[in-house]
Amino acid sequence: MTTSALLLDLDGTLIDSEQMHRAAYRAYFARRGWPYDEALLSRFTGRRAEDVFATDPGPWVGEDPAVLRDAVVAHVDPDVRPPPVSGGAELITAAAAAGVRVAIVTSATLDWAELTMDSLGVRQFVEVVVTADDVRDGKPDPMCYRHACELLNAAPEHAIAVEDSPAGVAAAVAAEVGRVYGVTTTWPADALRTAGVTDVFKDLHSLVALVES
């Protein structure tokens, strides 16, 4: 079967950034005097922060989700550059060489996506970037993946998506992406399998052969 598109999440999939983001949440929650644990912080993984603040119960109830999001982002250390997930640049370049169109589908901002593409040296191979600002509802809503396929003129049932979180997997599955693969940089394999992945890998090297076939 010909692959129509490669749809890649960003944080936790192309770069190992979860600990950087969690540090920002910890710092902000501590400043506010809000109780938290890792289970609470995991609610934000793979989702737009404003969606979690708007819909999930927590000490933030009644506050402006967008203001809270911006306050957390302000606690991200600007000098930290998360390491790439092994095989990410190789996967993107292999897909492009095989004629597979590439999109990044992220809950982050365009600035962060562009910075990441530049650090990986793959900006020229990525045709479409769908960010938090491009859809009404973020992951696990499927609209981000549907929108990426529409922009690429790609059949979702023939596409490959790669994610590191259950929310992202759920979004790709609901968008009827044909093959959804997980990387265990952030969540354990069992959680990704429960969300509906086709298969799970420790990094992105194993996926290179899949886009070349």
Side-chain angles (χ1 to χ4, degrees), residues 131-196:
T131 73
D133 297 324
D134 293 321
V135 292
R136 185 187 65 187
D137 298 312
K139 301 173 185 178
D141 187 274
M143 183 51 65
C144 54
Y145 278 104
R146 290 175 180 162
H147 187 47
C149 288
E150 289 170 358
L151 292 174
L152 291 174
N153 193 27
E157 64 269 22
H158 295 157
I160 291 174
V162 188
E163 278 280 357
D164 72 305
S165 72
V169 171
V173 170
E176 300 182 326
V177 174
R179 289 176 287 171
V180 183
Y181 295 107
V183 286
T184 54
T185 51
T186 309
W187 285 77
D190 287 350
L192 299 175
R193 289 193 177 98
T194 298

Side-chain angles (χ1 to χ4, degrees), residues 7-15 17 21 44-51 103-117 126 128-135 137-139 141 143-145 147-148 162-165 168 171:
L7 314 171
L8 296 163
D9 175 52
L10 180 63
D11 286 294
T13 299
L14 289 175
I15 52 171
S17 54
H21 292 303
F44 294 87
T45 305
R47 298 173 64 191
R48 299 187 304 193
E50 60 268 36
D51 291 342
I104 287 177
V105 185
T106 177
S107 297
T109 63
L110 181 59
D111 286 347
W112 183 242
E114 290 179 338
L115 182 64
T116 300
M117 288 188 290
V126 178
V128 164
V129 179
V130 176
T131 73
D133 297 324
D134 293 321
V135 292
D137 298 312
K139 301 173 185 178
D141 187 274
M143 183 51 65
C144 54
Y145 278 104
H147 187 47
V162 188
E163 278 280 357
D164 72 305
S165 72

